[in-house]
Amino acid sequence: MAGTMIIDGMKVPFTNEKNILSVIRSVGIDVPTFCYHSELSVHGSCRMCSVETARGNIIASCSEKPKDGLEIYTNSARVRKYRKMILELLLANHDKDCTACDVTGKCKLQDLARRYGITKNRFDSPRKEIPIDKSSKAIIRNPNKCIKCGDCVIMCEEVQGVGAIGFVNRGSNVQIAPAFNRVIDDTNCVSCGQCRVVCPTGAITINNETQKAWDAIFDKTKRVVAQIAPAVRVAIGEEFGLKPGTASLGKTVTALRKLGFDEIYDTSFAADLTVIEESDEFLEKLTKNDGSLPLFTSCCPAWVKFAENRYPELLPHISSCKSPQQMFGTVTKEAFIEKDKQDLKETFVISIMPCTAKKMEASREEFTDNGTKEVDLVLTTQELSMMIKEMGINFNDLEEESLDMPFGISSGSGVIFGATGGVAEAVLRRVLNGKKSKAESEIIFNEVRGLEAVKEASVTLGDRTISICVVHGLKNADEVIKQMKAGEKKYDLVEVMSCIGGCIAGGGQPAPDKRPIANVRRLRSKGLYSIDKTRQIKRASENPIIEQVYSTILKDKRHILHVHKH
């Protein structure tokens, strides 16, 4: 439907916009919202986007379709009074200890209160203190800061298909919480952290463990080793005003050295190890042809947890490979055994990850050996940026420095692990090594690239056609699995990432600024593929350090890269 609306006296044409709000924003007017996200269903609960029609009606612009000839006012006296009333009521029922809040300065409620000049509140607070839920390794849930917008509920149900939280009680007693007064760790939560990404206040935040990192850095008996995940380098710059997708690995390395880290490496190196192990595992199953296919990837801990919760019968089909994070921890601890004895130190591995679920993964029992964790601590991109700001480091002015050796070299295959389709492409690069034509010498597999929810590809290996599926978003994965179980689809290799876009949009990454989230994902993904394009080494098997690690550290110990986790 096409037509013309009149917005604040301006004639504005529209075509396929799904609501009035989209038409308003198309002409650069920033109508405030709490509960509206373009990728989630519209429920119009906050009413902040309300506008006034020429007839004097107040309507929610997010839930009304554009109409030809409709005249509206986005900032009339009535609308302004209405929005201020909503804000005052929200603030009256909100924990206003902003100085102790992790999202202060980024809180949408705080921003809008300032925007509408609310410095005092005429309403008394009816709020009763509710216990803070700290049960999860990944997130902290503070109901006292919740404004009941429902964004987290819709994200958890519609996009991830988990439904760990929902609306509880009715009327003024309504809360957003797990059912039956449970804490989040007693639910089917997979720790993906996507609820935290859409939360407009500090009601759901990352489990901040920066103090543990400082404690390790200041402990002279510890050798503090950092590994930086691929997706971190194309997002951390956003915290310092850089464009999404800007490659900032060199500056991140410099910042970590200034913070006091002793050794700094690249998780992409361990991703190369994962490619070797996972492709060998896949080829072995393909050769046996014993019904053990399809093989599902195991790099995403939220996906593994989802499968454990909902599809335990699929667990034998999930790769036995440890994730790159855990492989790095295993290899690093093994590599420093003798040096630790000589120096009377303990190697303490800190992961810098885009993902809140990595905190949960590192704490799992199967990744602990006699009380020693493979990865001691996981910091998200957000937490590292907090430490950089706390120390007063001017990130943008830093000179770029290189990673340490020997685990500082990786292939392009390891880097693209951070984007949806990257794991599948990396495996294909090795499985089909030398099988592509010279015209395809860049060994790019466009079929598995892109941000479509589900991507399918097929390649020929010998006399066998290999069928591949790449899916991101757990609800999308759920639909694919249902189709496979119904016999509607058949695949040999299935890559699953829990977050839309893959690790680039993990729960520990900077929340998008005013750019649409889809654009931010696209720019971050483009940043990773740009890095891959300039890498001289494209395949994991061509990484010269890999062969050295297999012949020394992993000699007769290749099994430590695998786990029977379920």
Side-chain angles (χ1 to χ4, degrees), residues 12 16 61 70 80 87 107 146 201 213 246 260 319 379 458 480 547:
V12 180
N16 299 318
S61 62
L70 179 64
R80 188 173 180 81
L87 287 169
C107 172
C146 179
T201 65
T246 302
S319 171
L379 298 178
S458 60
V480 167
E547 184 177 347

Side-chain angles (χ1 to χ4, degrees), residues 236-250:
I236 190 169
E238 295 167 42
E239 284 293 311
F240 305 95
L242 299 179
K243 180 182 176 182
T246 302
S248 303
L249 179 60

Side-chain angles (χ1 to χ4, degrees), residues 92-142:
N93 201 36
H94 186 74
D95 178 356
K96 292 180 282 294
D97 187 8
C98 296
T99 56
C101 182
D102 276 354
V103 299
T104 190
K106 299 178 181 178
C107 172
K108 192 176 286 189
L109 180 60
Q110 192 180 58
D111 286 346
L112 289 178
R114 189 180 299 114
R115 174 174 164 179
Y116 283 90
I118 299 174
T119 56
K120 293 182 180 179
N121 201 328
R122 54 196 161 125
F123 299 114
D124 293 329
S125 175
R127 185 175 64 85
K128 294 181 180 179
E129 196 74 17
I130 304 172
I132 297 173
D133 184 354
K134 298 181 179 180
S135 62
S136 168
K137 293 282 192 282
I139 58 172
I140 302 293
R141 195 176 61 84
N142 186 347

Side-chain angles (χ1 to χ4, degrees), residues 490-560:
K490 185 177 180 181
Y491 303 111
D492 298 302
L493 177 66
V494 183
E495 179 202 299
V496 183
M497 289 193 179
S498 67
C499 300
I500 299 294
C503 305
I504 53 168
Q509 295 280 65
D513 54 15
K514 294 186 181 296
R515 290 182 175 88
I517 178 62
N519 289 351
V520 172
R521 293 192 199 109
R522 180 180 56 79
L523 289 169
R524 291 175 183 172
S525 179
K526 183 180 179 181
L528 288 184
Y529 286 117
S530 295
I531 296 169
D532 169 50
K533 193 171 184 179
T534 60
R535 284 286 166 96
Q536 291 177 310
I537 305 171
K538 292 289 194 297
R539 297 182 179 89
S541 53
E542 295 169 353
N543 184 344
I545 303 300
I546 293 292
E547 184 177 347
Q548 180 183 333
V549 168
Y550 272 119
S551 62
T552 54
I553 300 169
L554 294 175
K555 187 177 183 181
D556 302 323
K557 292 184 178 181
R558 192 167 175 173
H559 64 278
I560 67 176

Side-chain angles (χ1 to χ4, degrees), residues 100-104 106 140 196 202 204-211 213-214 236 238-240 255-256 259 261 352 359 379-393 395 507-511:
C101 182
D102 276 354
V103 299
T104 190
K106 299 178 181 178
I140 302 293
R196 166 259 150 191
I204 302 177
T205 56
I206 297 166
N207 182 9
N208 188 336
E209 297 182 284
T210 55
Q211 186 55 51
W214 286 121
I236 190 169
E238 295 167 42
E239 284 293 311
F240 305 95
L256 287 168
L259 291 174
F261 283 76
I352 313 299
K359 291 175 177 282
L379 298 178
T380 61
T381 311
Q382 288 280 62
E383 288 168 277
L384 176 59
S385 69
M386 290 177 189
M387 294 180 71
I388 292 170
K389 291 172 184 177
E390 182 181 344
M391 192 170 172
I393 296 171
F395 187 83
Q509 295 280 65

